[in-house]
Amino acid sequence: MGNYDPDPKMKFTFGLWTVGNPGRDPFGEPTRDKLPLAKILDMLGEVKAYGVNLHDNDAFPIDASEKEKAEIMKEFKKGMKDNGLVCAMATTNLFTDPVFKDGAFTSNNAQVRAYAIQKTMRSMDIGAELGAKIYDFWGGREGIESDATKNPVDAVKRFREAINFLCEYSIEQGYNYKFVFEAKPNEPRGHMYFAVTGSYLAFIQTLDHPEMCGVNPEVAHEHMAGLNFVHQVAAAIEVGKLFHIDLNDQEFGRYDQDFRFGSANLKHAFFLVKLLEDYKYNGPRHFDAHAYRQSNYDDVKEFAKGCMRTYMILKEKAAHWNNDAEIQGMVKLINVKDAGLEKLTKKFSKASAQKLLATPLSRSQLASAPLPYEKLDQLTMEIIMGVR
Ligand code: GCO
Ligand code: MN
Ligand code: MN
């Protein structure tokens, strides 16, 4: 058995709100005491995480005075230093306070929109002081229950205006942030705008500064909608936009569960880790998950260690798959090459089109080529199950 300790090169991070989650749900009160900031940072140090992420109000109360903010900032920096942590990502809480009940950047009220931008600027100042290089946008309240209440075209325009403004703020302040957008189809709103990662990949291209913007896909968010998360991440990788990732787990089609990474859909988790490792993803790997409501803080530590350990185990299994001679032989077999035809279809020209039209290709012969996918999948499953 290998060593599955968290590797700092993997940049495993946790939000203050993840290990600090007190176990509240829509039907019940918290089951754990709220942990003070210093204790959360100590816990992350103890489990050997690489870094910490925050929403402004996870650490700095929404009504904190400048003096209180300065004291918390000092405590935060000390906690990071004592525990060898970096601050990898910061974000704004644009969803808890009642002011955001009908959206932040997409609110129908221009004053609420302005307040949301102002709050984000202040939170960007905090993140930059803590050293964060990534700034996340999760539109928690950007959506509707009824389309009678908001024009969905205006919503996109308003969101774009806010992001363009904030990109300029980051540049003007010299913060050098990379912005990342995190899609979710529903919860807490009935319907949220930018429902899937692909929505943001298209949106980014319409911004004034597309080069500083990428995505932060989350396993649970695509699985809630019954989608294949690996494919969403692959789409982001292929256009060079995977700047951050939120790892957790989720039963398909259920409410927002935020389970420990790999605990519900191990096969998908395997292919996700394989994709990230094969394409040398180098950003933070953030476990945006929380422990079961039944757990006490000792068990929360087991939860955090479990997220990282599962990733390390799956990373080893992905390498095993890549080095398995029988599997690689099959991969070669199913990827039929034809240098002449590949050259012909690589780029259109009148001549290549004519040549392609004149090429005899036997449909029945092509259809009869062997595709032993049952065998390939079984070999894969045996690696995942640990018998191969
Ligand atoms: C959720 C989201 C959040 C965001 C966080 C950072 O489903 O609640 O995943 O946890 O990631 O607010 O923007
Ligand atoms: Mn989530
Ligand atoms: Mn998330």
Side-chain angles (χ1 to χ4, degrees), residues 138 182 184 218 220-221 246 248 256 258 288:
W138 172 59
E182 179 178 352
K184 189 175 182 182
E218 174 168 321
H221 296 178
D246 276 7
N248 53 15
D256 188 11
D258 287 335
D288 190 9

Side-chain angles (χ1 to χ4, degrees), residues 289-363:
H290 45 75
Y292 302 137
R293 239 179 131 236
Q294 297 79 9
S295 301
N296 61 19
Y297 280 112
D298 282 335
D299 205 33
V300 171
K301 281 180 209 161
E302 296 305 317
F303 148 84
K305 286 191 233 163
C307 284
M308 298 186 283
R309 187 171 163 83
T310 296
Y311 191 100
M312 296 302 295
I313 295 169
L314 290 176
K315 179 173 180 285
E316 182 183 279
K317 291 196 180 288
H320 189 142
W321 195 95
N322 287 341
N323 292 317
D324 185 300
E326 192 174 3
I327 288 178
Q328 289 313 312
M330 296 187 73
V331 169
K332 216 167 160 199
L333 176 83
I334 62 180
N335 283 283
V336 179
K337 290 199 185 325
D338 185 313
L341 282 178
E342 283 173 68
K343 198 168 161 227
L344 206 58
T345 55
K346 196 162 182 68
K347 198 168 169 18
F348 179 87
S349 72
K350 237 176 162 170
S352 63
Q354 288 307 322
K355 219 166 156 192
L356 179 58
L357 286 169
T359 305
L361 291 163
S362 160
R363 207 169 74 232

